[in-house]
Amino acid sequence: MSTHPTDFRSDRRRFLRLGAIFSGALTACKPTRPVEQAEPSSLGGPLSPYGERSPSEKVARLPGFTRNPEIGSSRTPLQDSYGILTPSSLHFERHHSGVPRIDPAAHRLLLHGMVDRPLMLTLEDIHRLPSVSRVHFVECAGNSGSEWGPKLAPDAQKAHGLASCSEWTGVPLSILLAEAGVRPGASWIVAEGADACHMQRSVPLKKAAGDALIAFAQNGEAIRPEQGYPLRLLVPGWEGNMNVKWLRRIKVVEQPYMTKDETSKYTDLMADGTARQFTFEMDAKSLITFPSGGHKLAGPGVYEITGLAWSGRGRIDRVEVSTDGAKTWQNASLDEPRLRMAFTRFRIPWKWDGQEASLQSRCTDETGYVQPSREALLEARGPNSQYHNNCITIWKIAADGGVRNV
Ligand SMILES: Nc1nc2c(c(=O)[nH]1)N[C@H]1C(S)=C(S)[C@@H](COP(=O)(O)O)O[C@H]1N2
Ligand SMILES: [Mo]
């Protein structure tokens, strides 16, 4: 088995020459006419105060719930994504008690506990403080849970859609902590949401005073209600649950509070029956988004394999792709910018010969951590785990072009 990735650039040149096969088809096309156009010269639609996508576009989140539609999660259609940003309208959702309707004028953020000067802040106060914008993924610890088996989810959305990536704008929590004056002996914070479940999570003070943000904007506008309007805690690279939405309170404390959202229900149960107390960081993961489960290749020929990679520990340094069942691997090209704790888009050209094929990607982050195979992950973690699955996904291409998760 060769693990030497070959240089993809020579392949790329071959690939572009193959573009010639499309040229006949292109010249044969008729010029486009707008749909339902009465006369070629009639005016188009009016101006609008808030934009909407083309009515021809149907890509959507996939809601899943057991009893009430307020409590559950909806998944991002990763297989239909372009680039690294998730449109806010397609950002996955995970709500424990529905989306609260919050009046921004009445909302307050309380910062108290082991501090010299407790703060009670309005949104106006928060907007006056220095802020930053950063691109980060949010991923639920339960994402890719189906990949533990035995029944694998059929497509990228169902398997991995509890992950999305946005540009978040907010005030570094470090600024508020410095303003309040953290007392000696404090080493954690507890963050609390204003939804009915009052989601509470303990975060080590080092992370809270490090890169955590009190975010009020997402992709250039106010955070969507589903994502925590008007404020959410953003804990870059750490499990989704810690990114407390509808944030109303931060208490500086001396130890983790072991809240209801931190019980054994949310831990990783190991093979020997012991559980990891906390698993904060999301391990490096990658998946091919095209072609992926549910897609159907039109026929033999040239395709661009593309996908997403991310790591809770920093930047993605490398993504390798195998199209022959992990016998050989090639380095994919990585779109810039490659941001820390953010989606990175990878691409590699591929010529499908019409035979059965097995496609997979494997990423390495800047710490040198390499994404494991399913066998390696199961060996390390045992059969009891539900959370924090980051194993390699294998898409099987059938001779008829159909794509399955195997
Ligand atoms: N207040 C509050 N915060 C919350 C939750 C919640 O139910 N209530 N869900 C958590 C979970 S489990 C996840 S995975 C993320 C999901 O964030 P999103 O809905 O913006 O994708 O929010 C977290 N923050
Ligand atoms: Mo979650």
Side-chain angles (χ1 to χ4, degrees):
M1 170 170 118
S2 159
T3 48
H4 292 286
T6 53
D7 190 343
F8 86 96
R9 269 167 302 183
S10 57
D11 256 15
R12 184 107 196 165
R13 249 178 275 125
R14 264 206 307 278
F15 175 55
L16 291 177
R17 250 183 275 129
L18 288 167
I21 63 172
F22 294 120
S23 58
L26 287 179
T27 48
C29 287
K30 292 211 183 80
T32 313
R33 283 254 210 99
V35 213
E36 294 168 19
Q37 183 181 312
E39 285 171 43
S41 61
S42 68
L43 291 174
L47 306 167
S48 61
Y50 197 84
E52 293 215 21
R53 65 179 172 178
S54 160
S56 307
E57 295 297 319
K58 303 291 182 223
V59 170
R61 291 193 285 231
L62 183 70
F65 55 89
T66 37
R67 236 170 293 157
N68 3 22
E70 295 84 7
I71 302 169
S73 49
S74 67
R75 291 163 183 264
T76 293
L78 295 174
Q79 71 285 358
D80 296 308
S81 63
Y82 305 102
I84 60 170
L85 293 178
T86 311
S88 303
S89 47
L90 295 175
H91 194 288
F92 86 94
E93 305 164 276
R94 173 72 184 101
H95 316 314
H96 289 70
S97 47
V99 181
R101 214 184 305 154
I102 294 178
D103 172 5
H107 193 73
R108 298 287 181 274
L109 175 64
L110 173 64
L111 176 59
H112 70 142
M114 296 173 73
V115 296
D116 292 331
R117 297 167 296 276
L119 303 173
M120 174 84 99
L121 302 169
T122 63
L123 274 183
E124 221 169 275
D125 297 333
I126 289 171
H127 285 148
R128 283 174 61 176
L129 294 168
S131 57
V132 294
S133 295
R134 296 203 186 112
V135 175
H136 288 306
F137 73 83
V138 175
E139 181 179 20
C140 180
N143 195 30
S144 317
S146 56
E147 304 307 284
W148 290 111
K151 201 169 170 288
L152 302 179
D155 60 43
Q157 182 165 21
K158 291 192 181 110
H160 307 294
L162 297 177
S164 305
C165 186
S166 291
E167 184 199 68
W168 303 97
T169 299
V171 176
L173 178 50
S174 58
I175 290 178
L176 297 186
L177 290 168
E179 188 59 33
V182 173
R183 292 212 181 127
S187 55
W188 290 73
I189 65 158
V190 182
E192 182 185 80
D195 49 340
C197 72
H198 302 325
M199 165 74 62
Q200 289 186 330
R201 280 301 307 255
S202 310
V203 183
L205 187 59
K206 196 155 175 258
K207 180 73 172 176
D211 56 6
L213 297 180
I214 307 294
F216 50 76
Q218 174 188 10
N219 298 329
E221 62 180 354
I223 284 188
R224 293 280 166 110
E226 305 96 292
Q227 262 70 60
Y229 183 85
L231 291 179
R232 99 176 292 170
L233 183 64
L234 205 86
V235 189
W238 287 22
E239 59 182 11
N241 192 262
M242 309 185 77
N243 298 263
V244 174
K245 302 189 281 189
W246 313 295
L247 182 69
R248 69 171 186 185
R249 187 158 76 106
I250 288 176
K251 188 173 182 188
V252 180
V253 296
E254 73 293 1
Q255 60 183 24
Y257 261 36
M258 309 316 294
T259 68
K260 68 178 183 327
D261 304 304
E262 294 168 337
T263 61
S264 58
K265 196 171 136 268
Y266 261 116
T267 57
D268 294 320
L269 188 58
M270 306 299 281
D272 64 2
T274 62
R276 289 179 172 171
Q277 186 171 35
F278 291 115
T279 312
F280 293 137
E281 276 165 337
M282 297 308 290
D283 288 320
K285 180 181 290 181
S286 73
L287 72 136
I288 293 170
T289 54
F290 180 87
S292 62
H295 285 142
K296 175 114 190 194
L297 299 181
V302 176
Y303 295 89
E304 182 179 70
I305 294 175
T306 182
L308 293 166
W310 62 94
S311 168
R313 296 199 177 83
R315 205 171 271 113
I316 289 294
D317 264 3
R318 170 161 139 165
V319 178
E320 298 156 282
V321 169
S322 173
T323 58
D324 58 8
K327 286 197 214 56
T328 60
W329 296 84
Q330 278 186 291
N331 277 340
S333 68
L334 305 179
D335 279 8
E336 297 290 341
R338 281 182 296 124
L339 302 167
R340 304 187 70 242
M341 289 91 85
F343 281 1
T344 292
R345 171 68 59 179
F346 67 87
R347 306 169 190 280
I348 191 165
W350 175 54
K351 194 173 169 197
W352 183 45
D353 59 9
Q355 306 289 306
E356 275 194 0
S358 152
L359 309 187
Q360 55 197 297
S361 64
R362 171 172 78 190
C363 67
T364 305
D365 71 17
E366 64 176 309
T367 70
Y369 175 94
V370 182
Q371 183 183 9
S373 65
R374 180 174 295 121
E375 295 69 36
L377 188 70
L378 277 168
E379 186 165 344
R381 298 268 297 280
N384 298 330
S385 286
Q386 291 181 57
Y387 299 110
H388 290 278
N389 185 310
N390 69 321
C391 72
I392 290 172
T393 296
I394 305 173
W395 303 119
K396 182 92 175 262
I397 315 285
D400 70 355
V403 188
R404 271 185 320 121
N405 190 0
V406 295

